[in-house]
Amino acid sequence: MKTISPRQLKEELASGRFILLDVRQPDEVALATLPDALNIPLNELPQRLAELSPEQPVVIYCHHGVRSEMAGRILERSGFADVAHLGGGIDAWSLMIDQSVPRY
């Protein structure tokens, strides 16, 4: 699994070539989110894998990067070949890219 920086994600977002997967809980998503992200909380991910395509690249994020790394391991074990997670999570995104995204 790759780790990508907020700057790398910003450059890639416009391409639309990957699924942006948010593995935080709905109450966290209500506080702050990234555009066009699919929310599947980490604890629901094993049961909801069918909502994702193993052939499509996936970039995962959470609050600080711990849950997204765990989610990436789940995806890799389930046959997903192109998986990356956002180092530092949405918190790093807010600090480095878009200060309008609330920090919590």
Side-chain angles (χ1 to χ4, degrees), residues 13-99:
L13 272 176
S15 75
R17 72 175 228 16
F18 58 85
I19 296 170
L20 183 58
L21 177 62
D22 182 345
V23 295
R24 297 173 302 143
Q25 293 297 312
D27 60 324
E28 293 175 279
V29 174
L31 295 172
T33 192
L34 297 180
D36 301 318
L38 170 64
N39 177 234
I40 302 178
L42 178 61
N43 63 318
E44 298 176 15
L45 187 58
Q47 296 81 28
R48 295 179 60 185
L49 286 173
E51 296 177 38
L52 303 169
S53 170
E55 290 80 36
Q56 189 167 14
V58 179
V59 175
I60 311 161
Y61 76 94
C62 62
H63 189 196
H64 287 114
V66 176
R67 286 175 284 176
S68 61
E69 190 169 351
M70 292 168 54
R73 304 275 179 242
I74 292 169
L75 293 181
E76 287 179 327
R77 285 193 308 267
S78 300
F80 288 74
D82 193 350
V83 178
H85 87 103
L86 177 60
I90 198 168
D91 191 63
W93 177 271
S94 178
L95 287 170
M96 297 178 185
I97 304 299
D98 185 357
Q99 291 75 31

